[in-house]
Amino acid sequence: MNASARRIAILGAPLVAALGLTACGGKKGELVVDDAVGVTALRDPCPRVGIPDYTGDITVFTSPLRTDSDAIDIEATITNLRAQCADGARLHSVASFDVLARRATKSGARRVELPYFSTVVRGGNVVVAKRVGKVVIDFADGQDRATGHAQAGADVDKAEASLPEEIVKRISRKRRAGDEDAAVDPLSQPDVKAAIAKANFELLVGFQLTDAQLQYNVRK
């Protein structure tokens, strides 16, 4: 399996992404230019979902001492990651995903359980919650491919995921040509950046890898 095409780098995302203009609520941000310059950002406070680098694939070997292709037992990839978010005083976000798996042999029916994690991250680097679960893969006799399904959830206080009103006003305030701060991008100001980061929550999912499995993914 080609892991690199399926990896999603979420941590350290650009500031524009941190605004969440196309998050799970389906809203969009737009740049309004009329007789003045201003930005109207319709920001969805729902947590964004993603897969951290190198955690979207897992390879299980027949022996812990081998990492060559002849020793591969199971390969699996997380795909079709999607989210739904219930808006309220608390934002309940559910990420569902499929796991496409392949085994080295087709003989016999077999059930495989693969561990995965779900983590709620605030501000790009602060882990506020983590859970570990297992996705079940059932291979039928004579088949070397199978699909599993799993879900992960997150509950976030909407007040904590919303920008302060003063920050929203500074971002969206129209600036006329000739104003002292007309050429100053409010998103470049440190306190605005900090407020956006603090209000930014992410629901990240991936395989719960051993150190050896993670290093194997990095080397691929």
Side-chain angles (χ1 to χ4, degrees):
M1 296 184 183
N2 185 351
S4 61
R6 300 185 179 94
R7 290 172 186 152
I8 304 175
I10 291 295
L11 299 181
L15 181 59
V16 172
L19 278 170
L21 300 182
T22 56
C24 56
K27 300 178 181 179
K28 295 182 178 179
E30 58 181 18
L31 180 64
V32 179
V33 180
D34 43 30
D35 60 335
V37 176
V39 177
T40 300
L42 303 179
R43 180 183 180 274
D44 192 334
C46 287
R48 294 179 297 122
V49 299
I51 305 171
D53 276 347
Y54 309 115
T55 66
D57 302 274
I58 189 171
T59 303
V60 180
F61 294 93
T62 56
S63 168
L65 302 178
R66 296 178 60 182
T67 57
D68 56 284
S69 59
D70 290 337
I72 292 177
D73 180 26
I74 299 290
E75 292 179 293
T77 298
I78 294 175
T79 187
N80 297 329
L81 179 63
R82 51 208 178 274
Q84 293 182 330
C85 183
D87 197 347
R90 291 193 66 80
L91 302 170
H92 180 64
S93 184
V94 176
S96 57
F97 57 93
D98 300 328
V99 173
L100 307 182
R102 182 176 64 184
R103 60 175 176 168
T105 177
K106 297 181 180 181
S107 61
R110 182 182 177 188
R111 168 166 287 193
V112 176
E113 295 183 352
L114 299 175
Y116 69 91
F117 70 85
S118 62
T119 303
V120 180
V121 178
R122 185 177 191 178
N125 58 8
V126 179
V127 175
V128 296
K130 181 178 180 179
R131 297 182 178 89
V132 177
K134 291 184 178 181
V135 57
V136 176
I137 312 290
D138 285 312
F139 292 95
D141 185 22
Q143 293 183 340
D144 63 349
R145 297 177 185 270
T147 302
H149 310 277
Q151 290 185 335
D155 287 290
V156 174
D157 189 325
K158 186 175 182 179
E160 294 185 351
S162 301
L163 292 175
E165 183 178 354
E166 186 271 334
I167 296 295
V168 173
K169 288 181 178 179
R170 287 172 58 184
I171 293 174
S172 60
R173 184 176 67 84
K174 294 183 177 181
R175 292 164 175 78
R176 299 182 181 277
D179 286 353
E180 183 177 349
D181 61 351
V184 177
D185 179 2
L187 298 180
S188 67
Q189 298 174 343
D191 58 335
V192 174
K193 286 184 178 181
I196 292 173
K198 186 177 180 180
N200 180 43
F201 286 82
E202 297 159 335
L203 172 57
L204 307 179
V205 298
F207 286 113
Q208 183 70 18
L209 304 173
T210 65
D211 289 342
Q213 288 170 332
L214 179 59
Q215 290 303 316
Y216 178 80
N217 284 353
V218 171
R219 292 194 302 268
K220 284 199 296 184

